[in-house]
Amino acid sequence: MPSPIALNPPTPSPSIFKETKSLGKLPLMSRAMSYLSAVQQADTRARSHSNSSTSSSSPTRSTPSSVTASFDDTMLNDEDDTNNCLVNPLTPPTSEVFATVHTEFGHCTNETYRCVSKHDYTKPFQEHPVEEPPYYILLTTYISYLMVICFGHARDFFGKRFFKSYFTHLMPHNGYAPLNSDFDSFYTRRLQRRVDDCCSQPIAGVPGRTVLILDRYSTDFNLHQIYTGTKTRALNISSYNYLGFSQARGGCSDAVGESVHRYGISTCGTRLESGSSELHVQAEALVARFLGTEDALVSSVGFATNSTFIPALVGKKSLIISDELNHTSIRIGARQSGAQIRMFKHNDMSSLESVLREAISQGQPKTHRPWKKILVIVEGLYSMEGTLVDLLRVVELKRKYKFYLFIDEAHSVGAVGPHGRGVTDYFNIHPGSIDVLMGTFTKSFGAAGGYIAGPKTLIDNLRLHGHSCPYAEAMAPPVLAQIIASIASIMGVAPAPQPSKSQNSLNLASSAIALKDSANELQRMAPASMLPAWINLHPSLADGSEARMRIRRLAFNCRYLHAGLKKLGFIIPGHPFSPIVPLLIFNPGKCMMFARLMRSRRIPIVVVVVGYPATPLEKGRARFCASASHTKEDIDMVLRACDEVGEILDLKHGLGERWGIDEVCERAVELVHSAV
């Protein structure tokens, strides 16, 4: 039966994007009709093949979204313009079956747009130092902050005396002290509110390759936002959807839907009480096998994974040595632990060694006794800088000075390494060399929560002493289903062996695995017995081929976006294979204008701009998040937009050779595979 989208295309609604000349719409319409025609033909062939080969399959079996019989699953959104390249690919597809929707995961079959993320051992690890802008940029940045602060204090001074009705919440009234003092709320009122239209943008639907944003405006300088009731589809370069698993259609979403029918929304308890389910046990076993550790535990909140489990690792008379740019969750966990804290310069191994030497030689303060334990905490990939930890040097120092190593892989797991297993995979270092591996499921897996992986004795201790397990609610079953399906698709699922009578069924859910000396053992597929019986992934997910494609597409997109922006003249810190690509803007006023200009283009682009206190005062930036769901044309679009906006705002202060935007787009493959 032909697809409903081909037989009953929705009536086009007025475009939400800027109007273009009517003659310019004809080629787009032609491409859109060609695309719909190709979808119809491929869909018909896929249905006939599917009906003949899978007539006895389980109803929960995952099928590609183009094979779905539901009209709602294939119909375009009412707000979408069918002529828009965000909805339909510029080139009509030729593949037989489409496992994704183009708005959620872009169609890109060109194998030249692929790359492998791994360390080149023929070259030393590069630090990628940040270039400094001209002095006038720094001067105007400081002047901008100074002006805003001075005018803000002046408005507060006169406002409290002549417009008291607007400041009653900041002054004592009716015998009550103000909940928020004017000093505490000054940043929120006088700086943050100016950029509120660029922050906390509500969305509708899936944060995939594209996203529907709710249109809004303000008539009182961002004090209140008024929603128009309309939506705009924009290219999404701001979400942590690194591998593109955030989809409303496909194998993972089918598993999530089935989990709701079987387990409901919540287990209504903590892990140490009645909140544990078989999904928790299976997810932890799968995470441990995926990472190559003995055991693992999962937590319902990624932030709390650090802030509640670090205090269970160290305490008084212990020492934490932390990178100066570690995430806030690490800082909070370290402070709550009661341990002494030392900082070393960001990713500077000489600084780390210097701190280690001093700490070991001097011992504890006053008594100078040896430390009970020393824990070094680093991130695999730093979320604001895009820098990759120098793990080779860290492990070398670990062997020399005998400290414990904690790596936060929130942004690196799934996104870095030839097999998506994080920084240990990228550097080809056995995970047994790391004492504690932490990560989150929010970024690469399209889920929520976090995990801690390591030796079984350590994990058993954390289950009791980490605050999340005894007191926090257990992870929800739909989230666990998403985690299991996405990790299984990355690993690939091996056929289940024939069960034997002597086999203990409890061993199937055990989270302990034997460490192997060879790193190649980590590439093993997940046995089908480790997955719930009702999860039946599509063949392209089960054999791992689709996940391998996603990992290689992500590596290409990261490297292309990073190298392309540098060739255009921008200051781009970070590692070339990082999915986080910061573009330094410096001036806070330019940060606001950058976000607004990118969003107001004919094809809107949603970006995230970040400033103080998340970054140093003078280093405001736009932070792009590349995804496997983006096509090469999407990255071209971002580069062209940045090139135009960068010229307007005077943002091109990078050193080195510069290319024109057309040359960058034409020589993308060469740029990606060339030395950086």
Side-chain angles (χ1 to χ4, degrees), residues 489-509:
S489 65
I490 296 175
M491 298 177 66
V493 182
Q498 294 295 329
S500 60
K501 294 182 180 179
S502 61
Q503 185 177 13
N504 187 353
S505 60
L506 293 178
N507 291 336
L508 300 178

Side-chain angles (χ1 to χ4, degrees), residues 383-611:
S383 59
M384 287 297 168
E385 308 298 324
T387 49
L388 197 68
V389 65
D390 187 356
L391 188 59
L392 296 174
R393 183 74 173 124
V394 173
V395 172
E396 180 182 338
L397 292 175
K398 181 181 186 301
R399 295 186 181 127
K400 183 177 181 180
Y401 292 101
K402 309 302 180 184
F403 57 80
Y404 292 106
L405 180 58
F406 181 109
I407 299 183
D408 180 344
E409 290 212 81
H411 290 271
S412 55
V413 66
V416 173
H419 310 100
R421 286 173 167 85
V423 291
T424 57
D425 187 26
Y426 179 85
F427 289 103
N428 195 26
I429 294 177
H430 196 281
S433 304
I434 315 301
D435 299 293
V436 186
L437 285 170
M438 176 271 173
T440 64
F441 302 111
T442 314
K443 284 76 177 179
S444 295
F445 306 104
Y451 66 82
I452 295 282
K456 180 171 174 52
T457 54
L458 172 67
I459 299 302
D460 288 341
N461 180 72
L462 293 180
R463 293 185 198 277
L464 295 176
H465 297 283
H467 295 160
S468 289
C469 287
Y471 303 114
E473 73 282 357
M475 187 176 285
V479 177
L480 290 165
Q482 172 74 19
I483 293 169
I484 293 172
S486 58
I487 292 181
S489 65
I490 296 175
M491 298 177 66
V493 182
Q498 294 295 329
S500 60
K501 294 182 180 179
S502 61
Q503 185 177 13
N504 187 353
S505 60
L506 293 178
N507 291 336
L508 300 178
S510 174
S511 58
I513 66 171
L515 289 175
K516 302 296 183 181
D517 294 333
S518 173
N520 293 330
E521 291 294 329
L522 297 179
Q523 302 175 19
R524 295 177 300 171
M525 302 174 75
S529 58
M530 296 189 72
L531 275 65
W534 47 268
I535 291 184
N536 198 353
L537 298 174
H538 186 267
S540 63
L541 292 173
D543 62 13
S545 60
E546 182 174 323
R548 288 192 294 271
M549 175 271 294
R550 291 174 184 247
I551 293 171
R552 296 175 64 220
R553 273 183 63 170
L554 174 62
F556 179 90
N557 290 342
C558 295
R559 200 170 177 98
Y560 177 35
L561 181 58
H562 184 277
L565 289 171
K566 287 183 73 72
K567 286 296 184 183
L568 292 176
F570 296 99
I571 298 180
I572 308 296
H575 195 276
F577 279 118
S578 167
I580 299 169
V581 183
L583 187 156
L584 293 184
I585 299 176
F586 303 102
N587 193 292
K590 290 183 179 181
C591 287
M592 294 187 297
M593 289 306 302
F594 184 87
R596 291 164 183 164
L597 288 174
M598 295 289 280
R599 196 174 57 205
S600 63
R601 296 177 62 84
R602 188 182 69 86
I603 303 297
I605 301 175
V606 177
V607 301
V608 170
V609 289
V610 188

